[in-house]
């Protein structure tokens, strides 16, 4: 039986990828430290095992690789609060870069068949959209720098040791199992959590920044199945929706979908890319057109889940390393 390791599988995208792998007949081992994920996100299936632990624990990784002899590694574990990464640089590089390297080491030693990595559109930084995979990345924050460093390390590992990899650069993913209590990231979940509490929706700046919000159900099947598509090996692949929306438009659509009216509270603009959207012709060539869920349809599905899940307490990141320029809204209770 094919056995896959899914790091971050108790998290949002990882929970979907794990389920897609089970559908493909894989045995799945989820490794997650539950820093941003939840046990209730895990698939309930005989072929799915959960290991509570960190990718920073390289001795644990060595034991897991020995025990399970993984065919494939899907590496989704990360702390993905891009905007916060300026203020938690050491943590960001330890968790997202060194943690990834621990997995790459074991993958080389155990000669796995393919390493699937979720990088990010953040690698492009402020390059002029549409972002295309043949552009040279210019990440603008530590999160993007760490993601790009892992991409480069995978290329080195392939050159030196023949490790196969597929790199995805998703963007602005939303959907069921998203952490509604994370105040630093994923505007869709933040808006839903605020609306359920009767709080105003906070928008950085004028809200005219544009993003192509992408429904998780459209991308997780491709991430899972890429190992069966040899043409995707060694490729960097943008993945996500084509249609971009302003954050203001998103706020209106989330309110309509939830059937709740909320006030908008504009707070100071933060240092972020104004327009980020990507060219997906490579993904379409490799995987076909696939599903393209509209924003309203995707939000409706997420809302059903969010209402069942209920309000999540928005917790603060405990160990901020640099306080200078930290958006004040992130310090509020
Ligand atoms: N959601 C998006 O819009 C988006 C966009 C681009 C890239 N990505 C990438 O996709 C991946 C999944 O993102 P997500 O949105 O599902 O985030 P998420 O926070 O919901 O999931 C990440 C999971 O990783 C786990 N984790 C974090 N550090 C860990 C560690 N040291 N050891 C073990 N587990 C650890 C967390 O507990 C969490 O369950 C991440 O690599 C992220 O950078 C996400």
């Amino acid at each position: 039986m094919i056995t896959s390791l899914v790091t971050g599988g108790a998290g949002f995208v990882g929970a979907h990828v794990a389920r897609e792998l089970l559908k493909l007949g894989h045995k799945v081992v989820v490794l997650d430290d539950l820093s941003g994920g939840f046990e209730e996100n895990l698939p309930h299936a005989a072929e799915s095992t959960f290991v509570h632990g960190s990718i920073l624990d390289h001795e644990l990784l060595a034991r897991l690789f020995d025990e399970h002899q993984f065919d494939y590694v899907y590496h989704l574990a990360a702390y993905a609060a891009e905007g916060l990464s300026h203020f938690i640089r050491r943590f960001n590089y330890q968790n997202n870069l060194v943690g990834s390297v621990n997995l790459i080491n074991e993958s080389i030693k155990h000669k796995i068949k393919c390493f699937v990595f979720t990088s990010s559109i953040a690698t492009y930084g402020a390059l002029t959209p549409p972002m295309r995979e043949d552009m040279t990345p210019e990440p603008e924050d530590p999160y993007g720098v760490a993601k790009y460093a892992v991409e480069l390390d995978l290329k080195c590992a392939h050159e030196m040791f023949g490790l196969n990899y597929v790199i995805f650069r998703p963007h602005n993913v939303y959907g069921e199992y998203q952490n509604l209590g994370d105040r630093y990231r994923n505007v869709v979940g933040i808006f839903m959590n605020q609306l359920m509490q009767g709080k105003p929706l906070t928008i950085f700046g004028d809200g005219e920044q544009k993003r192509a919000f992408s429904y998780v159900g459209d991308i997780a099947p491709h991430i899972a199945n890429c190992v069966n598509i040899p043409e995707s090996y060694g490729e960097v692949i943008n993945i996500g929706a084509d249609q971009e929306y302003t954050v203001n438009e998103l706020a209106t659509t989330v309110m309509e979908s939830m059937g709740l009216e909320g006030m908008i509270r504009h707070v100071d603009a933060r240092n972020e890319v104004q327009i980020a959207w990507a060219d997906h012709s490579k993904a379409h060539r490799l995987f076909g057109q696939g599903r393209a869920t509209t924003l309203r349809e995707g939000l409706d599905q997420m809302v059903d889940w969010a209402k069942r899940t209920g309000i999540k307490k928005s917790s603060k990141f405990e160990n901020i390393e640099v306080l200078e320029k930290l958006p004040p809204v992130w310090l509020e209770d």
Side-chain angles (χ1 to χ4, degrees):
M1 189 168 204
I2 299 166
T3 307
S4 290
L5 173 66
V6 181
T7 72
F12 163 45
V13 183
H16 288 268
V17 170
R19 282 168 173 75
E20 293 298 329
L21 289 170
L22 290 165
K23 282 190 216 162
L24 292 174
H26 293 215
K27 188 173 160 219
V28 171
V29 177
V30 167
L31 174 67
D32 200 300
D33 68 356
L34 301 182
S35 54
F38 303 91
E39 276 189 79
E40 55 262 36
N41 289 352
L42 292 166
H44 297 287
E47 299 303 342
S48 174
T49 309
F50 173 54
V51 179
H52 184 187
S54 173
I55 54 170
L56 294 176
D57 183 348
H58 53 84
E59 288 167 358
L60 168 67
L61 293 185
R63 283 201 304 279
L64 283 179
F65 275 75
D66 279 343
E67 183 186 341
H68 295 281
Q69 298 295 321
F70 299 117
D71 295 281
Y72 301 112
V73 172
Y74 291 80
H75 176 34
L76 292 100
Y79 188 60
E82 180 176 4
L84 188 65
S85 69
H86 293 284
F87 311 98
I88 52 165
R89 316 176 84 79
R90 182 176 52 239
F91 177 81
N92 168 74
Y93 290 117
Q94 273 168 351
N95 205 53
N96 295 356
L97 175 54
V98 177
S100 301
V101 169
N102 288 340
L103 280 165
I104 294 172
N105 277 346
E106 291 306 323
S107 299
I108 293 168
K109 286 195 250 176
H110 287 82
K111 303 208 177 308
I112 65 146
K113 292 179 186 150
C114 189
F115 189 103
V116 181
F117 175 56
T118 46
S119 178
S120 169
I121 196 174
T123 52
Y124 294 111
L127 291 173
T128 307
M131 315 304 192
R132 290 207 334 261
E133 295 92 342
D134 57 6
M135 292 169 154
T136 304
E138 288 185 31
E140 290 216 317
D141 50 51
Y143 171 73
V145 171
K147 288 289 189 188
Y148 188 43
V150 176
E151 291 190 8
L152 293 175
D153 192 69
L154 282 170
K155 285 177 193 166
C156 297
H158 176 72
E159 290 295 320
M160 188 73 187
F161 302 108
L163 178 69
N164 288 319
Y165 65 83
V166 181
I167 294 167
F168 285 97
R169 290 181 180 157
H171 52 87
N172 307 97
V173 191
Y174 69 93
E176 302 91 321
Y177 307 132
Q178 193 149 36
N179 183 357
L180 298 176
D182 191 335
R183 64 172 63 198
Y184 307 106
R185 66 182 287 249
N186 284 319
V187 58
V188 177
I190 292 171
F191 282 170
M192 287 186 186
N193 208 30
Q194 288 173 327
L195 273 174
M196 288 194 286
Q197 293 174 78
K199 289 186 176 171
L201 309 190
T202 35
I203 294 183
F204 288 105
D206 64 6
E208 287 303 298
Q209 57 273 52
K210 286 186 173 174
R211 301 287 184 271
F213 301 101
S214 308
Y215 183 59
V216 68
D218 296 349
I219 68 161
H222 297 312
I223 296 176
N225 194 45
C226 71
V227 298
N228 296 319
I229 300 175
E231 297 78 23
S232 69
Y233 283 33
E235 294 289 340
V236 176
I237 307 162
N238 294 334
I239 191 154
D242 288 312
Q243 178 68 46
E244 84 241 44
Y245 294 88
T246 66
V247 173
N248 292 326
E249 287 168 333
L250 175 74
T252 310
T253 316
V254 171
M255 285 192 255
E256 285 167 5
S257 184
M258 292 205 90
L260 292 171
E261 279 285 322
M263 304 279 285
I264 302 284
R265 177 180 164 221
H266 289 275
V267 297
D268 287 345
R270 58 178 179 170
N271 182 17
E272 65 176 331
V273 173
Q274 193 60 18
I275 302 177
W277 55 286
D279 177 283
H280 299 115
S281 38
K282 191 194 271 192
H284 294 156
R285 179 166 50 75
L286 289 167
F287 310 131
Q289 284 290 335
R291 268 186 294 173
T293 304
T294 64
L295 183 62
R296 181 61 201 262
E297 284 167 357
L299 288 177
D300 286 351
Q301 299 197 48
M302 183 175 173
V303 162
D304 282 346
W305 167 83
K307 285 187 173 168
R308 285 198 308 276
T309 303
I311 295 165
K312 286 272 177 189
K313 191 173 160 6
S314 165
S315 51
K316 280 190 203 159
F317 192 90
E318 289 298 329
N319 299 309
I320 305 272
E321 295 158 24
V322 176
L323 286 171
E324 191 182 330
K325 294 192 176 179
L326 186 74
V329 67
W330 284 344
L331 292 168
E332 290 174 6
D333 283 324

